Amino acid sequence: MDWIGTMEKPIVSPATEQSENPINYLLIIGTIVGVFAVLLVSFALYNHYATPEVKDIGELHTDNLNGEKLEEDAYVYNGYSFLNIDGLWFTEIEVGDNIYSIPLRYGPRDLENVTVDGGLTTDFYQNEIYIAFDPTVESKYLTLAASELAINLNQVYQLNTKSACTFDDNSTLCAEREIISCDNNPDNLPMIELSYENTTALEMSGTCIKVSGYEFGLVQSVDRLLLSWYGVY
């Protein structure tokens, strides 16, 4: 199913930062990945046709594309307008008959140094996709990255996203989830592995995308992936 088109070509309400606390982050991420009823309301606020505020942003994009000088921090990248509003980078994309205003934490100029390597097989493009992560990592940045990724996949492409563990830590949460990773995926399930490590990179292989980064570096890698899917790169 060609829901993305090509990797050279995935609105989302940006997640807010959460303070560190003893809450199990796997439970938080699992809830974000699996439940979107409340987020649908936030998503509608960013739809190009939803509210006067978003329509105003659309008008600013038009001015930016026409070369007019704006008060906002703005630039055009490969034919896409980017506006920095309240610390978020907004752009507009067209998917089918819909135009979406996309707020992300980083603009394309910020993400040019994220390493991208490999390729995917056609088996990756299914209606259901897993988002897998290390169940022992407790990080607000992992939560931010997972939520931004899952909301995009769900809202733009109406994909069914499921959370998974990269290994079994014998917790009750992992007991009811798939145990898969890019290195351990015998059934070739479509998946995205969020890897909390120092390397800021995207590595694609078969039916898996490994998204790596540390702290905000992980969010940068997710935004790089999304902008690639949107055709910005």
Side-chain angles (χ1 to χ4, degrees), residues 120-202:
L120 299 170
T121 64
T122 56
D123 290 336
F124 177 82
Y125 305 101
Q126 306 295 328
N127 289 325
E128 184 174 88
I129 188 167
Y130 289 86
I131 299 178
F133 34 80
D134 184 336
T136 64
V137 173
E138 294 186 354
S139 167
K140 62 184 179 184
Y141 305 100
L142 179 59
T143 306
L144 287 170
S147 61
E148 194 153 278
L149 178 61
I151 297 168
N152 270 270
L153 293 176
N154 183 269
Q155 301 304 332
V156 176
Y157 292 105
Q158 291 79 52
L159 296 183
N160 179 22
T161 54
K162 292 186 175 182
S163 59
C165 296
T166 55
F167 69 93
D168 189 356
D169 66 342
N170 296 316
S171 67
T172 56
L173 290 171
C174 285
E176 298 181 358
R177 303 182 190 277
E178 291 282 353
I179 308 299
I180 52 176
S181 67
C182 287
D183 294 327
N184 178 32
N185 187 14
D187 295 326
N188 292 319
L189 298 173
M191 65 171 292
I192 298 173
E193 179 182 342
L194 299 180
S195 181
Y196 200 61
E197 57 182 86
N198 287 326
T199 301
T200 305
L202 301 174

Side-chain angles (χ1 to χ4, degrees), residues 13-69:
S13 173
T16 55
E17 293 185 40
Q18 303 180 32
S19 59
E20 299 286 358
N21 57 61
I23 296 176
N24 191 305
Y25 281 85
L26 180 59
L27 179 60
I28 297 174
I29 297 171
T31 301
I32 290 171
V33 171
V35 181
F36 288 94
V38 175
L39 294 174
L40 284 171
V41 177
S42 298
F43 171 78
L45 294 176
Y46 291 109
N47 189 290
H48 178 67
Y49 300 108
T51 66
E53 288 76 9
V54 174
K55 183 177 180 180
D56 289 343
I57 294 176
E59 293 171 351
L60 290 173
H61 281 303
T62 299
D63 293 342
N64 189 31
L65 290 169
N66 289 335
E68 297 185 24
K69 185 173 179 60

